[in-house]
């Protein structure tokens, strides 16, 4: 079992920055890839970014060049640095981790970007 806690969300004006954190605890020895999804009102959940245990990253086209995902294995924490935020980035952001054959989810953190 892996427990995830997200933090760092909030309200920011367009063009601003936020850094989301996702701290993992529990059966962390089995953790592999981590990532972030987001879900805006009335829309499906979409993958924003992910990072493998080896540090390979992948991003949604809509955030490439603006968002950067990183991982601190010593702290069992993943980060999502979000720059040049746009109103369309407004959503609840959910962290996930793949551990063995199970995907665990955090409860989400709200990001609101005002125009």
């Amino acid at each position: 079992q892996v427990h995830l806690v997200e933090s760092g969300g909030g309200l920011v004006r367009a063009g601003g920055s936020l850094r989301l954190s996702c701290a993992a605890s529990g059966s962390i020895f089995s953790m592999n890839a981590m990532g972030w999804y987001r879900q805006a009102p009335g829309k499906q959940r979409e993958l924003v970014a992910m990072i493998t245990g080896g540090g390979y990253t992948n991003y949604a086209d809509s955030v490439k060049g603006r968002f950067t995902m990183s991982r601190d294995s010593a702290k069992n924490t993943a980060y999502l640095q979000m720059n040049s935020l746009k109103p369309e980035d407004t959503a609840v952001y959910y962290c996930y981790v793949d551990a063995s054959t199970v995907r665990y989810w955090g409860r989400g953190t709200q990001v609101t970007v005002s125009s």
Side-chain angles (χ1 to χ4, degrees):
Q1 192 83 356
V2 177
H3 182 59
L4 301 174
V5 177
E6 300 113 328
S7 61
L11 173 64
V12 65
R13 300 187 73 168
S17 298
L18 285 173
R19 188 175 82 153
L20 304 183
S21 299
C22 176
S25 60
S27 300
I28 55 179
F29 60 89
S30 63
M31 293 192 336
N32 191 4
M34 299 182 74
W36 294 88
Y37 275 74
R38 67 186 180 187
Q39 187 165 22
K43 295 187 177 181
Q44 288 188 327
R45 191 175 291 194
E46 63 172 350
L47 178 65
V48 176
M50 61 84 66
I51 185 167
T52 67
Y56 170 81
T57 55
N58 194 28
Y59 300 93
D61 288 342
S62 59
V63 307
K64 282 181 180 177
R66 300 188 298 122
F67 290 12
T68 302
M69 183 161 187
S70 60
R71 183 171 183 169
D72 186 335
S73 297
K75 295 182 178 180
N76 300 311
T77 301
Y79 304 96
L80 184 67
Q81 178 67 43
M82 306 186 295
N83 299 327
S84 302
L85 283 161
K86 304 176 181 179
E88 50 263 45
D89 294 318
T90 295
V92 178
Y93 284 69
Y94 297 91
C95 174
Y96 77 87
V97 63
D98 291 330
S100 298
T101 59
V102 179
R103 175 163 289 183
Y104 296 92
W105 293 92
R107 298 184 67 178
T109 184
Q110 176 70 46
V111 171
T112 303
V113 184
S114 64
S115 57

